[in-house]
Amino acid sequence: MKTRGLLFRVLGSVWPGVLSLPPETQNVVEYTLRKTGHVSEYAVLAALLFRAFRATRPLDGRIRLWAWLAAVAYAASDEWHQSFTPSRTATPKDVAWDAAGALLGVGLAAAWAAWAAKRRGRADAKGAGEERGP
């Protein structure tokens, strides 16, 4: 992993003691940061896919499924691409991390959409009542 040196230089600028940690602890820190990156990247991708699909059709379970499947398909294709790049490692575990992130992103985006729709419904009902007047 050629990016480890850069990762720890950047991390060392905000956490000066990281370079003095035992190698085993540094490995745990690196692993955690890398997997957090997988989860967060695919959570954002899936949330954006959910939003894009939702713009073209009403909110239902299929939109959540299609957004998740599209993100996982992209994750699998990215890992497949990495298998052809000598300096990269392709693993099914990374696709699993990406899929978990995509599930998180779709779940959060769907929850936000439901909350916003409910809030809009209350605002519409309140506004409609005011228009009628006494």
Side-chain angles (χ1 to χ4, degrees):
M1 293 185 213
K2 297 179 181 185
T3 58
R4 183 182 178 123
L6 175 64
L7 178 67
F8 275 90
R9 271 196 303 250
V10 171
L11 192 55
S13 68
V14 292
W15 181 14
V18 73
L19 297 175
S20 62
L21 293 172
E24 299 82 25
T25 306
Q26 287 184 10
N27 289 340
V28 169
V29 169
E30 179 185 16
Y31 181 84
T32 303
L33 287 173
R34 286 183 183 278
K35 299 314 167 194
T36 300
H38 276 274
V39 170
S40 61
E41 288 171 27
Y42 282 87
V44 170
L45 174 63
L48 292 172
L49 287 168
F50 174 85
R51 183 179 166 120
F53 293 159
R54 197 181 119 230
T56 61
R57 53 179 41 118
L59 182 61
D60 66 10
R62 289 178 298 184
I63 292 173
R64 291 186 288 265
L65 177 63
W66 281 111
W68 182 78
L69 286 173
V72 172
Y74 186 82
S77 71
D78 184 47
E79 290 299 315
W80 180 67
H81 169 262
Q82 286 181 30
S83 71
F84 298 107
T85 308
S87 63
R88 305 290 304 269
T89 305
T91 67
K93 280 197 250 181
D94 283 347
V95 177
W97 282 105
D98 299 340
L103 187 62
L104 175 67
V106 167
L108 291 174
W112 180 269
W115 175 81
K118 186 176 179 183
R119 187 167 181 216
R120 274 194 306 272
R122 282 196 308 240
D124 291 344
K126 183 178 178 182
E130 290 174 358
E131 289 174 0
R132 290 184 202 151

